[in-house]
Amino acid sequence: MSLFLFWTFAALMLAFGVGVVLAKNPVTSAMCLVMSFLGLASLFIMLDAYFIGIIQILVYAGAVMVLFLFIIMLLDLKAERTRKLNLPAVVGGGAVLLGFLVILMKVLHSNDAFFKATKPVVGVSLSNDVKSVGTTLFTQFNLPFQIIGVLLLVATIGVVVLSKKELK
């Protein structure tokens, strides 16, 4: 059952990831990204990484996607027009995809552990995991954390200022 759910969530995540790329409407693309994030969170939770799964839902599927939708609506982006098919780009992209799939199959067949349904052994309890993430974030990475916060604030203010200029 666990293996079936794993492959189901992985397939859903990949299908919605393809939807992000292929959708012509930016809002549809953002919604596909939310569903892809939810599939990824499900995979984290299935691997007993509850903290990362919940953070994935709260931060990425919640806050970041709300910010994306806010920006899309502020910039009033419309659906993309259909363009002509660029044959060299399609052939190049297909060659890159084929090379990736060949390397992926080679790696998967080189190790039988990929096909066995075993979970990694977790040596510490979940409370230690959350505590260690928080301690690391606020001690070793405090400055980058603060810089990213200021950068997000500046980006948000910039979007508001840019959207106000178009109204004049």
Side-chain angles (χ1 to χ4, degrees), residues 20 41 44 48 55 57-59 63 69 77-78 84 91 140 149 151 157 159:
V20 169
F44 281 136
D48 293 334
I55 291 298
I57 291 171
L58 291 177
V59 174
L69 288 174
L77 297 177
K78 304 290 182 203
K84 286 184 175 180
V91 170
Q140 295 176 358
L151 187 64
I157 292 171
V159 166

Side-chain angles (χ1 to χ4, degrees), residues 38-159:
L38 290 177
L40 182 62
S42 302
L43 292 178
F44 281 136
I45 290 172
M46 287 186 63
L47 293 173
D48 293 334
Y50 299 108
F51 178 72
I52 295 175
I54 296 298
I55 291 298
Q56 177 77 26
I57 291 171
L58 291 177
V59 174
Y60 289 103
V64 171
M65 287 314 301
V66 167
L67 183 65
F68 280 2
L69 288 174
F70 194 58
I71 291 170
I72 288 170
M73 291 178 183
L74 277 177
L75 294 178
D76 196 25
L77 297 177
K78 304 290 182 203
E80 182 179 329
R81 285 187 235 142
T82 305
R83 290 184 273 173
K84 286 184 175 180
L85 190 64
N86 187 357
L87 189 61
V90 171
V91 170
V96 169
L97 177 66
L98 182 66
F100 172 74
L101 290 176
V102 167
I103 291 173
L104 180 66
M105 287 298 133
K106 185 177 179 181
V107 168
L108 289 178
H109 286 289
S110 67
N111 190 351
D112 290 334
F114 287 111
F115 297 107
K116 295 180 181 175
T118 58
K119 287 185 176 180
V121 177
V122 178
V124 293
S125 68
L126 294 175
S127 63
N128 288 340
D129 184 34
V130 174
K131 183 179 178 181
S132 67
V133 168
T135 302
T136 304
L137 186 63
F138 288 109
T139 56
Q140 295 176 358
F141 298 105
N142 192 18
L143 182 62
F145 184 72
Q146 298 296 328
I147 290 172
I148 288 172
V150 170
L151 187 64
L152 284 174
L153 178 65
V154 169
T156 304
I157 292 171
V159 166

